[in-house]
Amino acid sequence: MTTGRSPIDNEGSRLADEVLAAYLRYLDAFITNDIQGLDAVVAYPLAHIAESDVQMHDVFPINPAELKRSKDWYTTRNSRFQVLAVSPSKAHVVLYSADRVREDGSLIETVSAFYAFKLTDDGWKIYAFSDVVNSAPH
């Protein structure tokens, strides 16, 4: 896994570290199907920029356990993400790419995503995301 943040000033660096910590909590909750953990780092309503429209959700729109089961998804490898921009109230995180693989290591798909975070009274939370999923060639 490769992580990083853009070169920014000291205050921005501190904020970027906070955003990165929130993103890592999100990833852990997603991978372990911890719905309460997801809710702790998501601000509802959550905007999901889907294939052709924007959908607003009052609950997290993806069930990670069902996604894992339906795709025979075992783990994720080769993740590259970065806190791309941060201000005192808003931040952007980009997942450049991550490979979802089966237990035998074969590639299922590659996913990329963009996450918009906002600072709330309870810390940094995702309030919008857009994902792009590309299936492995057959």
Side-chain angles (χ1 to χ4, degrees):
M1 174 173 22
T2 304
T3 64
R5 56 177 149 72
S6 58
I8 41 189
D9 65 20
N10 287 339
E11 175 65 9
S13 178
R14 180 187 64 77
L15 294 172
D17 288 344
E18 292 174 6
V19 172
L20 182 59
Y23 181 68
L24 291 173
R25 285 192 305 275
Y26 162 79
L27 284 180
D28 182 63
F30 192 90
I31 290 168
T32 61
N33 193 42
D34 176 2
I35 302 303
Q36 288 181 324
L38 285 170
D39 287 343
V41 292
V42 172
Y44 295 104
L46 173 68
H48 177 214
I49 303 164
E51 292 300 320
S52 61
D53 62 350
V54 176
Q55 301 168 358
M56 300 302 289
H57 300 275
D58 292 325
V59 296
F60 196 74
I62 300 168
N63 179 319
E66 175 57 25
L67 183 66
K68 283 184 159 188
R69 187 200 58 73
S70 69
K71 294 182 179 259
D72 195 25
W73 169 28
Y74 176 68
T75 193
T76 302
R77 296 190 177 133
N78 305 318
S79 297
R80 291 186 324 105
F81 51 86
Q82 179 178 27
V83 176
L84 198 59
V86 65
S87 76
S89 60
K90 186 167 83 168
H92 296 163
V93 173
V94 173
L95 170 64
Y96 293 106
S97 65
D99 296 332
R100 291 179 178 157
V101 298
R102 294 176 189 87
E103 191 168 8
D104 68 5
S106 61
L107 181 65
I108 300 166
E109 60 196 8
T110 299
V111 62
S112 301
F114 160 85
Y115 301 88
F117 281 78
K118 66 180 179 179
L119 185 59
T120 71
D121 290 342
D122 296 321
W124 290 97
K125 295 194 177 216
I126 298 168
Y127 70 101
F129 77 102
S130 174
D131 51 341
V132 174
V133 178
N134 291 300
S135 296
H138 292 76

